[in-house]
Amino acid sequence: AQRVTQPEKLLSVFKGAPVELKCNYSYSGSPELFWYVQYSRQRLQLLLRHISRESIKGFTADLNKGETSFHLKKPFAQEEDSAMYYCALTGVGNEKLTFGTGTRLTIIP
Amino acid sequence: DAGVIQSPRHEVTEMGQEVTLRCKPISGHNSLFWYRQTMMRGLELLIYFNNNVPIDDSGMPEDRFSAKMPNASFSTLKIQPSEPRDSAVYFCASSLTSGGAYEQYFGPGTRLTVT
């Protein structure tokens, strides 16, 4: 079975401070990990995926297979980063995503 | 493209009534997903279709829930009879897939309230 754990339901960070949203997963095969984001009054949308190795809006995430983690990080938080963030998992060659329960990030001005 | 279209955006109904949620995927996409979002359980996959065929319905809570995709441009999720615990936001998403996980594009969701 595949499982995604996001231990923090709520996270508040001051503007300019570093941000880290935690994600741990459980999967027996070769995983593919994603971060999706939902800004206020907008649709849920893909933020980044580990195979792309991109930095989107200043966010990065590294897949750590040893620790089975895919934490989302940003060195300096901005107010527009306030949103709901979901970590998602699937297996290579599989299109079914398993989402975590989400973390609501609030950036304090 | 207007993206994934869902209707209605809000639905309030009484317990025991039938509810039908509708989804129009992005043109050209071949996979369609139905999710339910609640505070307690987050985003749960209910069912997904590939090329109009249901592939995995293991997330459908019980027989009261059913989903169809009669053609590539339309899908429905039906709850009959509805119960208060079905209250949630239901999302539809579509993607263009070819043997792997590709970006899913989400609709705006339908907020269902069952009283």
Side-chain angles (χ1 to χ4, degrees), chain A residues 9-10 32 34 36 38 41-47 49 51 84 86 90-102 104, chain B residues 2-5 31 33 35 37 39-43 45 48 50 55-56 58 91 95 97 99-104 106-108:
Chain A
K9 277 196 177 295
L10 303 171
E32 286 197 40
F34 306 79
Y36 277 77
Q38 187 174 25
R41 290 184 291 277
Q42 292 188 28
R43 303 181 183 206
L44 191 64
Q45 58 189 285
L46 178 66
L47 179 62
R49 55 193 301 179
I51 61 173
M84 190 75 175
Y86 287 96
T90 188
V92 173
N94 191 338
E95 56 188 343
K96 175 181 174 180
L97 286 177
T98 297
F99 284 84
T101 50
R104 181 167 296 283
Chain B
V4 176
I5 299 172
S31 290
F33 306 80
Y35 293 92
Q37 183 187 46
M39 287 288 290
M40 290 300 298
R41 301 171 69 92
L43 204 58
L45 178 66
Y48 82 93
N50 183 261
I55 303 300
D56 187 336
S58 59
F91 288 102
S95 69
T97 63
Y102 293 79
E103 179 174 357
Q104 293 187 15
F106 283 76

Side-chain angles (χ1 to χ4, degrees), chain B residues 33-94:
Chain B
F33 306 80
W34 281 102
Y35 293 92
R36 179 172 64 179
Q37 183 187 46
T38 60
M39 287 288 290
M40 290 300 298
R41 301 171 69 92
L43 204 58
E44 301 173 280
L45 178 66
L46 300 176
I47 184 171
Y48 82 93
F49 298 83
N50 183 261
N51 293 322
N52 312 336
V53 176
I55 303 300
D56 187 336
D57 65 355
S58 59
M60 296 286 262
E62 47 199 273
D63 292 345
R64 297 185 297 106
F65 285 69
S66 63
K68 294 181 179 179
M69 191 163 187
N71 57 62
S73 59
F74 183 66
S75 177
T76 59
L77 177 68
K78 185 177 292 186
I79 308 172
Q80 166 64 20
S82 58
E83 296 182 3
R85 60 191 167 122
D86 301 331
S87 297
V89 180
Y90 291 81
F91 288 102
C92 175
S94 71

Side-chain angles (χ1 to χ4, degrees), chain A residues 9-30:
Chain A
K9 277 196 177 295
L10 303 171
L11 181 64
S12 294
V13 174
F14 283 101
K15 178 182 174 181
V19 176
E20 183 178 53
L21 296 154
K22 291 186 169 52
C23 172
N24 288 90
Y25 68 90
S26 173
Y27 187 68
S28 57
S30 185

Side-chain angles (χ1 to χ4, degrees), chain A residues 48-95:
Chain A
L48 55 80
R49 55 193 301 179
H50 88 271
I51 61 173
S52 300
R53 295 184 174 274
E54 293 176 304
S55 173
I56 306 295
K57 299 185 178 183
F59 283 97
T60 59
D62 292 320
L63 178 60
N64 186 323
K65 292 187 177 181
E67 295 183 358
T68 60
S69 68
F70 189 57
H71 303 327
L72 184 67
K73 300 178 183 179
K74 184 170 182 176
F76 307 103
Q78 298 173 284
E79 289 186 60
E80 54 264 34
D81 296 330
S82 293
M84 190 75 175
Y85 291 81
Y86 287 96
C87 183
L89 159 75
T90 188
V92 173
N94 191 338
E95 56 188 343

